Structure formats: C-alpha cells, structure tokens
Amino acid sequence: MPEVVERDDESEIIGTMGEAHEEELESMAKHESKEDRIFQKFKTKISLEPEQILRYGRGIAPLWISGENIPKEKDIPDCPCGAKRLFEFQVMPQLLNYLKADRLGRSVDWGVLAIFTCAESCKLGIGYTEEFVWKQDITDAA
C-alpha cells in the first residue's frame, strides 16, 4: 500500500503503483477541489446558453464562478426601507465580449455581478430604490 508523506507544503506518495488498489487510484485521479466543482458547475450551466448575459432568478442562489468571494448574508446590506435584500439577477462575464471591454484602454473585468433587491419591492420617494451589487472576480479557475 502506498504511503502519503507530508512535508511542509507538499505531499508525496511513496510506494509503487502496483501496490495501490484500483479504487484508490481512481479516487486520486478524480480528486477535485471545491473550487473545481464550483467552476465546473458554472461552465456546465452556461454551456446551455453560452451567449446569455443576464440570469434572472429572484430569491434563488446566484450561479457563482468561483468559491472565492461569495457573500455571506451579513455582507448584503438591508434596503434603506429596513427590509432584507434578495438575489434577483446576475450579469454574466459574457457581456464583456459585447462591450469590447478590452478596447476601453483600462481593465474592466468580472466573473459575476450579482444584483440584490429589496425583498419587499419597496419604492422610496421617486419610485426606484438603489440596488446592491456584489462583484465576484475571476480567480485562477480559468
């Protein structure tokens, strides 16, 4: 049976492949991180409509591109009326292609822009209330 030896910041498997059980080898080959699973879910979902630039889903969870920088409930401020905010829609990174953002002369980039709106759909004053946007950047998941 191979033995895993850990040294500071690396792991090494000691032994021969003949000593490993087939299930263990398959498990090692299929090992993927949480980050990989989140990005794979994102890619699979958007492959159904690769040109979509908006995803609407009031009250559902956003489709995150990365496991990094996912907001907690406390990170989303309440609406000025005092109600909680809910996820309503997201702007997808595909919009950058249509904006030709790389021609703007400055960096404009995002993984997901998640827009959170008032759970009570309030209208303070002139009819519209400012929404809250959470920007999730693309990490090394590419």
Side-chain angles (χ1 to χ4, degrees):
M1 170 88 55
E3 177 183 344
V4 176
V5 178
E6 294 190 23
R7 296 183 198 140
D8 296 332
D9 61 344
E10 6 179 300
S11 294
E12 183 179 327
I13 298 176
I14 297 178
T16 65
M17 294 308 267
E19 295 174 356
H21 293 283
E22 190 172 322
E23 300 91 37
E24 291 176 74
L25 291 174
E26 189 171 321
S27 172
M28 285 189 261
K30 289 184 177 179
H31 176 72
E32 60 181 345
S33 68
K34 178 182 176 188
E35 187 70 28
D36 294 335
R37 287 189 302 275
I38 291 170
F39 185 64
Q40 189 58 46
K41 179 181 175 183
F42 180 85
K43 283 182 16 179
T44 300
K45 200 73 151 163
I46 66 168
S47 71
L48 301 172
E49 291 293 337
E51 294 186 23
Q52 85 175 341
I53 58 173
L54 294 176
R55 288 183 53 83
Y56 183 84
R58 184 169 169 83
I60 67 167
L63 180 61
W64 300 112
I65 196 168
S66 164
E68 300 289 319
N69 197 26
I70 295 176
K72 307 255 188 285
E73 187 176 334
K74 66 178 177 55
D75 297 325
I76 309 300
D78 290 345
C79 178
C81 78
K84 294 280 184 201
R85 284 194 169 114
L86 299 174
F87 169 76
E88 185 156 343
F89 69 96
Q90 69 190 84
V91 181
M92 305 298 283
Q94 291 83 333
L95 180 60
L96 293 166
N97 294 328
Y98 295 103
L99 294 176
K100 299 183 180 10
D102 55 345
R103 295 186 194 170
L104 296 177
R106 57 187 145 144
S107 177
V108 177
D109 196 12
W110 69 80
V112 168
L113 297 176
I115 290 69
F116 293 82
T117 62
C118 180
E120 302 296 323
S121 298
C122 74
K123 293 181 180 170
L124 297 175
I126 59 172
Y128 290 100
T129 303
E130 185 176 319
E131 310 302 355
F132 178 78
V133 178
W134 185 270
K135 180 181 180 238
Q136 184 187 46
D137 291 318
I138 298 173
T139 61
D140 295 337

